[in-house]
Amino acid sequence: MDKPGLSRAVRRVVEAQTLQPRWEKLSDRQIEFIVAVAALGGETLVSTLARALGRSVKDLSWLRDDLLRAGDLLAPGRGRVALAVPLMAPFALANYEAARQDAGVKLMPLAKIRAALE
């Protein structure tokens, strides 16, 4: 999560005041979606995301729409999504496995998401 010039104290404040509250509002499936985008570098084609999660683009459309409306995602181009919240990618990747263990639905392990991209 290291960014040049970003002190640990500032990073902790951003995590506590911005990232954690947003993270806690996400549904289990939204968390999985955000983490898959993060694993893909923070921006990706929705079709690549669907392949990584083992779902169809149509299956992901409602998640995409909800995350766009909430301001957690951007649509930088046709068929593309990007994380809208700065520093969310490293935060999501660091917190996913704990969230996955607490999820009410079965979420894909991060290693499996990453393996699907190879």
Side-chain angles (χ1 to χ4, degrees):
M1 191 164 164
D2 291 329
K3 294 281 184 185
L6 190 63
S7 75
R8 288 183 186 191
V10 170
R11 195 171 54 237
R12 280 193 299 271
V13 169
V14 169
E15 287 177 356
Q17 293 182 0
T18 303
L19 301 176
Q20 189 66 40
R22 288 185 90 98
W23 183 255
E24 290 172 359
K25 290 179 184 177
L26 297 171
S27 72
D28 295 336
R29 288 290 176 213
Q30 288 173 328
I31 287 172
E32 184 181 56
F33 190 107
I34 291 287
V35 165
V37 175
L40 288 159
E43 182 176 337
T44 188
L45 289 168
V46 177
S47 59
T48 302
L49 185 64
R51 188 175 74 244
L53 293 174
R55 296 190 182 87
S56 72
V57 170
K58 185 177 180 180
D59 288 342
L60 297 178
S61 65
W62 69 274
L63 286 167
R64 176 189 169 277
D65 292 346
D66 286 351
L67 291 166
L68 285 167
R69 271 193 297 280
D72 294 307
L73 283 182
L74 302 171
R78 183 168 167 78
R80 298 191 70 77
V81 291
L83 296 177
V85 180
L87 301 177
M88 182 54 89
F91 179 85
L93 292 170
N95 288 281
Y96 180 63
E97 286 303 321
R100 190 175 73 80
Q101 297 303 318
D102 294 337
V105 298
K106 186 174 175 145
L107 300 178
M108 187 177 288
L110 182 55
K112 193 169 182 179
I113 292 170
R114 287 183 166 146
L117 303 171
E118 296 174 352

